[in-house]
Amino acid sequence: MVKLEKLTVEYQHNPIGIDTAKPRFSWKLVSEEKNVLQTAYQIIIMKEEDIAWDSGRIEDSSSVLVEYNGEKLTACSLYNIRINVWDNKGNEASIEGSFETGLLKGTNFQAKWISHDFPEEETACPIFTKEFQLTKEVEKVRVYATSLGVYEIKINGEKLGDTFFAPGWTNYNKRLQYQTYTADQLLDGQNEIQITVGNGWYKGILGFTCTPNHYGDRTAALAEMHITYKDGTSEIIGTDQSWNVTTGSIRSSEFYMGETIDSCFENAPIKKAVNADFDNNRIVAQESEPVRITQRISAKELIQTPRGETVIDFGQNLVGFVEVSLKGKRGQKITLRHAETLDKDGNFYPDTLRDAISHDHFICNGEEQTFRPHFTFHGFRYVCVEGMEDIGLDDFTACVLHTHMEETGTFTTSNPLVNQLQSNIQWGQRGNFLDIPTDCPQRDERLGWTGDAQVFAGTAAYNMNTALFFTKWLRDLASEQTAELGVPHVIPNIMGQQEGAAAWSDAAVIIPWVVYQTYGDKRVLEDQYESMKGWVDFITSRCGDNGLWQSGFQYGDWLALDKEESADRTGATDKYLVANAYYAYSTNIVRKTAEILQKNDDAKTYGELYEQIRNTFNAEYITSTGRIVSETQTGCILALHFDLAEEKHRERIAKSLETNIANHKNHLSTGFVGTPYLCHALTENNLHDLAGTVFLQEDYPSWLYSVKKGATTIWERWNSILPNGDFEESGMNSLNHYAYGSIGDWMYQKLAGINPLEPGYKKIMIKPQFIKGITSVQASFVSVYGQIVSEWSCVDNKITVNVEIPANTTAVIYLPEQEQPVEVGSGTYHYEYETTTTLEKQRFSFDSTLREILDEPLAVAIFNEHAPELMNNSLIEFAYPLTISEMLANASAEGKPLFEMVIDQLNQQDKIHGESNKVDASK
């Protein structure tokens, strides 16, 4: 028995407003049988009673992103879908759905752009209104709308849809999205439509200097309502100069500054709308999921701070706004101030917001009211309430806002700190994937930094379905890219003209590749190919006679800890080593992309270029004996993980990495570039145990340091809050900044072992790997074919592994401590077998100091027997504070087995004592 589920069109369920000329269909096979594969499919598309496309029976296993190949689609039309599928077990199944086209192109708008002629000092949001009469019974209503600014539409006082900040942030100079709505609010007789427009990204205050008018100095709106009557007739009501414009209760609204709502405001003058100009050729249909309220979080605690502030704690650093229900006196002003944290004394601390004021003001009208903003959002955990005396926690709700992507990944372990880290990564993604991938959601920035998005893209794709989100953003990236300057550092670009930089601008190449690998989406490679190639060509044009990129501004290993920040924040790794490592990496991706797209000449050209860069990189940055020029953690990581070092040098570079980490007491020192690949490079080079050690460190600098300090999101800096509770005071200290959350894909890939062997997970590799300190992992990932599950535990001398593989895929399972992989089809699999491995965190390790080791008589006895020269060395006391890793980092390799034996013996002794104590306690 097989059934079909999750029929989608361009990743969406029964979408309306689709303008894709050849939409793609995906479906999932579900079966309780094992080894189920689709053998054939049929797609039938109907427009009313007519067949728009019948694929016929296609003998093929494709069930993801199958392209429409029927008659040309027409605008504003409903198409019904039926999918029939046959599998290799003799079963047949079907599923039905629909999609509805939008206007197909912006020039099909019949309405006219309208604006207002309010004075420049007017901060209130304009409201465009139109009254109209209905005399016939309505069959269907669609509204197509966009704005220069951010807008919401009401019909008869009721908001259309449940989304926020439409039409989203795009490069308005090239692209503007429109949205499609259903409307059920029409009444017989008199009706009114209202469009309220806020400044938003179009003309609002943005950037480090908090300046307005990046795209224009006046908001505008464009909308038309298509009404189909039951008698078969129809009409269109669109914006034009017959509309009125006024202002209402929203007296001001800015993303950075907050919103003021005066419910006592009335009698605003009513004026006629004026014409506005915009090139409708730039208009495209909504390309990604909209921003919605995805969760509502109750207030957790009411706090009176030492300064006397009244503060509400929501228990989670989040992005959105607060909804408050109250009955105040007429004219009473309530102010909500937002902050991510309290200071170490327990006082409200908004300084991480810099110049973003983030105050919402609500003026009451004396009745029972519920206030919430319309056109602003905040990054916060705490809200300081002013203007209220009697506060009930139940009256305050935090509304979580982000692009409403499907959540696809779960990851939990036996280690609660790691579980909190995973939660922090996910919350960082929720807060910063708000229409674009922002760097931070709270301060006077919130920009689409390409470097942050690039390093996090792989992790993001495990946690959520990011296909549409990144597709939309990548189109803006391509629209901002030029041959002269390359790819801007932020997308959309409000930073002015600046040449592209490595790791940041490489988002143009790396993110399309991540989307392709995750979803099997070849179209994103086709759409972005010129952009991908253009970025590599830009670098090539900047190379010197030696064929390397060694000029211009670079971020290097941004915020790395191995160089004083006062220098330039770029870390100690040679910034041009970083640049050329990425140059090679991106060139190789372009080569592989050209091969996939069957651009054979390009594949040859970029293949040769890649080999040339790789050879020149080795000549410039790696000596003939395998010593790397920047013997930093990041320098070694890039040479290894990007496969740049020659095979004969990899072992030495891996040893250099190991030594560097040991000299940092088994802690990282990496920044934005090295951190995403650190644990990957260790695991891939037979240093997985060390990866686990670094990963599970709990003191500064480490991933778990922030967790231990109470973080609920990822910090911008490893020490955003110092051990003594003070704040890092660089003026750049976000407590919700997802870049270091890029460790997430290592957690999914190496600890849980969920990896694609073929794009889109058509073939899957399950290869979990153990680390000490975690005794079990349970992870799942909803791929485009269905849910993949990898669960394992290693306790009480027994390994247990549970795996789930979705129908229409196959997998290779590498069981821990088993020599041969197992090849399987779809289904659920359970494995159980004996082991002598113990994963519980042990008292003694290579992180122990020599003093801690020599405090144990057993260790002294072993050293006296096997290495008396150590015990008799007069300088031994100077080594007491060193960890064993530090000692061995600069010593000969012969000493390592002895220390391994000592640590093993001490842990065995410790275990015996522990078991003995348990027996005594039971007596």
Side-chain angles (χ1 to χ4, degrees):
M1 181 73 179
V2 68
K3 63 178 181 178
L4 303 185
E5 293 182 350
K6 302 281 181 77
L7 169 59
T8 60
V9 184
E10 291 298 320
Y11 299 96
Q12 302 168 76
H13 177 67
N14 294 341
I16 63 172
I18 287 283
D19 278 2
T20 306
K22 291 190 173 184
R24 297 165 299 171
F25 310 102
S26 303
W27 57 91
K28 296 180 181 179
L29 283 73
V30 179
S31 175
E32 294 182 359
E33 295 186 81
K34 288 188 175 182
N35 305 314
V36 172
L37 292 170
Q38 175 184 295
T39 57
Y41 70 85
Q42 180 185 25
I43 302 175
I44 302 173
I45 308 297
M46 302 288 295
K47 180 186 175 186
E48 298 179 347
E49 302 299 318
D50 299 324
I51 296 176
W53 181 44
D54 183 347
S55 70
R57 177 171 169 143
I58 306 294
E59 303 296 325
D60 192 88
S61 67
S62 298
S63 60
V64 171
L65 300 172
V66 180
E67 188 175 274
Y68 175 80
N69 195 27
E71 65 183 33
K72 186 177 180 180
L73 301 177
T74 58
C76 307
S77 299
L78 176 66
Y79 292 84
N80 290 306
I81 311 163
R82 181 181 175 88
I83 310 285
N84 299 318
V85 162
W86 295 264
D87 72 7
N88 59 337
K89 306 288 185 177
N91 299 308
E92 182 178 352
S94 63
I95 190 170
E96 295 182 350
S98 66
F99 69 94
E100 187 178 303
T101 53
L103 297 174
L104 294 185
K105 55 183 179 179
T107 52
N108 283 342
F109 266 101
Q110 298 181 43
K112 305 298 181 183
W113 279 97
I114 55 173
S115 185
H116 59 83
D117 57 4
F118 297 153
E120 288 185 14
E121 60 270 18
E122 176 63 80
T123 61
C125 295
I127 305 172
F128 300 97
T129 65
K130 173 77 172 181
E131 293 184 350
F132 58 96
Q133 291 277 341
L134 291 183
T135 59
K136 294 188 284 188
E137 195 172 357
V138 173
E139 174 75 24
K140 184 176 84 170
V141 179
R142 292 290 183 266
V143 177
Y144 307 96
T146 187
S147 71
L148 304 180
V150 288
Y151 74 91
E152 65 179 28
I153 301 180
K154 290 182 178 179
I155 295 180
N156 299 325
E158 185 178 342
K159 178 180 172 179
L160 288 189
D162 58 355
T163 66
F164 291 83
F165 313 137
W169 193 1
T170 54
N171 173 13
Y172 298 99
N173 297 319
K174 296 287 184 68
R175 291 163 27 80
L176 173 67
Q177 297 180 123
Y178 79 89
Q179 289 70 42
T180 302
Y181 303 90
T182 60
D184 302 318
Q185 299 94 327
L186 294 184
L187 305 171
D188 291 339
Q190 186 81 354
N191 290 267
E192 183 183 52
I193 182 170
Q194 296 180 338
I195 307 173
T196 305
V197 185
N199 291 340
W201 296 286
Y202 181 76
K203 73 172 297 288
I205 293 170
L206 293 175
F208 299 117
T209 56
C210 292
T211 55
N213 303 333
H214 286 276
Y215 298 98
D217 60 3
R218 198 162 292 265
T219 56
L222 176 71
E224 59 188 44
M225 178 187 300
H226 292 214
I227 306 173
T228 303
Y229 298 106
K230 289 191 174 179
D231 65 3
T233 61
S234 62
E235 69 170 315
I236 295 176
I237 298 172
T239 50
D240 58 26
Q241 282 187 280
S242 69
W243 286 51
N244 294 323
V245 61
T246 185
T247 62
S249 62
I250 306 174
R251 304 312 301 160
S252 66
S253 188
E254 291 282 356
F255 284 145
Y256 289 179
M257 303 305 168
E259 188 164 296
T260 297
I261 299 176
D262 182 355
S263 58
C264 296
F265 181 83
E266 54 189 21
N267 298 325
I270 298 174
K271 307 176 76 173
K272 282 295 181 184
V274 300
N275 280 334
D277 292 322
F278 188 83
D279 181 2
N280 285 5
N281 285 298
R282 303 180 198 169
I283 298 177
V284 298
Q286 174 86 25
E287 293 173 330
S288 67
E289 299 90 344
V291 174
R292 289 192 176 97
I293 295 174
T294 61
Q295 296 184 46
R296 297 170 62 85
I297 296 180
S298 301
K300 300 295 187 291
E301 184 182 2
L302 184 64
I303 300 169
Q304 292 296 321
T305 73
R307 290 200 192 110
E309 303 148 318
T310 300
V311 173
I312 293 174
D313 178 10
F314 288 96
Q316 173 65 53
N317 195 357
L318 59 91
V319 174
F321 46 60
V322 173
E323 180 181 274
V324 55
S325 299
L326 72 159
K327 182 178 181 181
K329 297 177 183 177
R330 182 174 178 81
Q332 180 180 351
K333 182 179 180 181
I334 311 298
T335 296
L336 303 184
R337 300 166 53 210
H338 301 79
E340 295 185 285
T341 187
L342 305 179
D343 67 18
K344 66 180 180 181
D345 298 319
N347 293 306
F348 192 71
Y349 185 83
D351 291 23
T352 63
L353 278 61
R354 293 195 307 219
D355 290 333
I357 302 301
S358 289
H359 294 180
D360 290 336
H361 305 286
F362 304 135
I363 299 173
C364 305
N365 64 7
E367 303 172 0
E368 293 281 353
Q369 292 179 276
T370 296
F371 286 106
R372 75 180 187 198
H374 300 257
F375 303 126
T376 191
F377 65 90
H378 311 287
F380 67 98
R381 171 175 171 171
Y382 298 91
V383 171
C384 182
V385 183
E386 298 174 352
M388 288 182 70
E389 294 181 0
D390 298 322
I391 294 177
L393 285 181
D394 291 344
D395 296 331
F396 290 81
T397 302
C399 301
V400 178
L401 287 168
H402 61 86
T403 296
H404 195 191
M405 297 165 285
E406 176 192 6
E407 298 200 6
T408 51
T410 65
F411 183 94
T412 56
T413 76
S414 59
N415 187 319
L417 296 179
V418 173
N419 297 341
Q420 183 62 50
L421 173 65
Q422 170 65 9
S423 174
N424 293 0
I425 293 170
Q426 290 174 316
W427 275 102
Q429 183 169 346
R430 290 187 187 106
N432 283 292
F433 277 39
L434 193 152
D435 198 68
I436 66 166
T438 58
D439 61 321
C440 59
Q442 74 296 89
R443 69 188 182 207
D444 52 349
E445 197 165 347
R446 313 185 197 186
L447 304 178
W449 283 98
T450 49
D452 304 55
Q454 178 266 120
V455 300
F456 189 70
T459 295
Y462 276 105
N463 291 329
M464 297 181 183
N465 187 321
T466 59
L468 292 178
F469 179 82
F470 277 132
T471 295
K472 175 255 185 187
W473 186 70
L474 286 167
R475 288 172 179 165
D476 277 304
L477 182 151
S479 77
E480 303 268 19
Q481 182 176 354
T482 65
E484 295 74 26
L485 298 172
V487 176
H489 305 180
V490 298
I491 302 295
N493 181 25
I494 62 163
M495 301 282 285
Q497 294 190 340
Q498 188 176 16
E499 287 196 349
W504 272 248
S505 302
D506 287 278
V509 177
I510 294 169
I511 295 180
W513 188 250
V514 169
V515 173
Y516 171 68
Q517 291 294 318
T518 306
Y519 307 105
D521 191 337
K522 194 166 133 182
R523 186 178 286 176
V524 75
L525 297 182
E526 295 169 344
D527 290 349
Q528 297 300 131
Y529 182 69
E530 290 303 318
S531 169
M532 297 167 75
K533 192 172 69 162
W535 170 241
V536 170
D537 291 348
F538 170 85
I539 302 173
T540 304
S541 72
R542 296 301 186 274
C543 288
D545 293 339
N546 65 352
L548 293 177
W549 188 17
Q550 295 176 317
S551 63
F553 171 82
Q554 297 293 345
Y555 290 98
D557 189 21
W558 186 248
L559 297 186
L561 302 173
D562 47 13
K563 184 168 76 171
E564 289 296 324
E565 181 178 292
S566 58
D568 59 8
R569 295 176 175 167
T570 60
T573 309
D574 184 299
K575 60 187 180 182
Y576 294 119
L577 181 154
V578 173
N580 287 291
Y582 268 97
Y583 179 27
Y585 186 55
S586 285
T587 300
N588 197 31
I589 291 175
V590 170
R591 174 191 66 80
K592 291 186 283 188
T593 300
E595 289 175 350
I596 291 163
L597 300 181
Q598 298 182 336
K599 297 178 181 291
N600 298 329
D601 290 344
D602 280 358
K604 183 174 184 293
T605 298
Y606 289 99
E608 291 172 352
L609 177 60
Y610 168 67
E611 292 300 330
Q612 175 189 318
I613 300 166
R614 193 168 181 265
N615 292 336
T616 312
F617 180 95
N618 276 270
E620 180 78 3
Y621 296 111
I622 302 175
T623 71
S624 60
T625 59
R627 185 171 186 180
I628 192 165
V629 166
S630 280
E631 218 161 34
T632 60
Q633 290 181 20
T634 293
C636 296
I637 288 164
L638 294 179
L640 294 170
H641 186 67
F642 285 1
D643 196 26
L644 297 173
E646 295 180 44
E647 187 62 36
K648 63 183 178 181
H649 296 322
R650 292 184 67 87
E651 185 176 347
R652 177 169 181 178
I653 294 172
K655 180 62 181 175
S656 296
L657 176 58
E658 182 181 17
T659 299
N660 186 300
I661 292 171
N663 287 333
H664 287 87
K665 295 185 183 293
N666 282 347
H667 286 70
L668 54 80
S669 63
T670 49
F672 274 38
V673 166
T675 297
Y677 314 119
L678 168 60
C679 287
H680 283 292
L682 292 171
T683 298
E684 291 158 1
N685 289 277
N686 301 313
L687 293 169
H688 181 66
D689 288 345
L690 180 55
T693 298
V694 174
F695 174 64
L696 292 180
Q697 295 288 8
E698 297 178 11
D699 58 338
Y700 167 80
S702 68
W703 285 280
L704 299 185
Y705 169 73
S706 62
V707 173
K708 295 274 283 190
K709 296 296 287 183
T712 61
T713 43
I714 300 296
W715 294 346
E716 179 175 19
R717 294 168 174 270
W718 295 114
N719 62 341
S720 285
I721 299 177
L722 304 176
N724 67 359
D726 290 339
F727 294 98
E728 204 284 334
E729 294 184 349
S730 63
M732 196 176 76
N733 191 24
S734 164
L735 300 184
N736 190 352
H737 211 98
Y738 58 67
Y740 289 145
S742 54
I743 185 62
D745 67 357
W746 178 82
M747 293 158 62
Y748 277 104
Q749 291 174 8
K750 302 305 195 294
L751 298 187
I754 300 175
N755 300 268
L757 280 178
E758 294 179 4
Y761 293 82
K762 178 65 170 171
K763 189 171 185 179
I764 303 155
M765 179 173 73
I766 302 294
K767 189 179 181 180
Q769 299 181 62
F770 295 163
I771 59 172
K772 282 193 179 294
I774 294 179
T775 59
S776 66
V777 168
Q778 302 84 41
S780 67
F781 170 65
V782 180
S783 75
V784 287
Y785 289 94
Q787 180 169 262
I788 303 165
V789 174
S790 176
E791 301 176 348
W792 62 261
S793 67
C794 180
V795 293
D796 299 330
N797 299 318
K798 184 171 69 175
I799 293 173
T800 303
V801 178
N802 291 302
V803 174
E804 181 180 334
I805 303 300
N808 208 27
T809 69
T810 59
V812 179
I813 302 173
Y814 291 82
L815 294 169
E817 301 183 1
Q818 302 291 302
E819 291 186 5
Q820 296 300 319
V822 182
E823 297 201 22
V824 301
S826 64
T828 57
Y829 300 90
H830 174 79
Y831 305 94
E832 206 172 286
Y833 46 96
E834 299 300 314
T835 185
T836 58
T837 299
T838 300
L839 296 181
E840 285 81 3
K841 195 168 185 179
Q842 296 175 307
R843 181 181 166 194
F844 300 99
S845 70
F846 280 81
D847 275 349
S848 303
T849 64
L850 182 61
R851 175 78 275 173
E852 291 169 331
I853 295 293
L854 294 182
D855 279 344
E856 299 297 316
L858 175 59
V860 174
I862 294 173
F863 283 127
N864 279 330
E865 179 181 353
H866 294 280
E869 67 279 4
L870 172 68
M871 302 304 298
N872 295 328
N873 191 318
S874 60
L875 300 177
I876 191 172
E877 63 184 58
F878 294 104
Y880 286 167
L882 299 179
T883 66
I884 306 305
S885 291
E886 286 179 285
M887 289 181 58
L888 294 175
N890 301 295
S892 62
E894 291 91 30
K896 186 173 183 180
L898 176 59
F899 277 98
E900 287 176 338
M901 179 178 71
V902 171
I903 290 169
D904 183 59
Q905 291 291 316
L906 290 179
N907 284 323
Q908 286 188 40
Q909 172 185 270
D910 209 46
K911 183 178 180 182
I912 292 169
H913 287 168
E915 291 173 350
S916 177
N917 290 336
K918 286 181 183 178
V919 172
D920 290 343
S922 66
K923 291 179 180 178

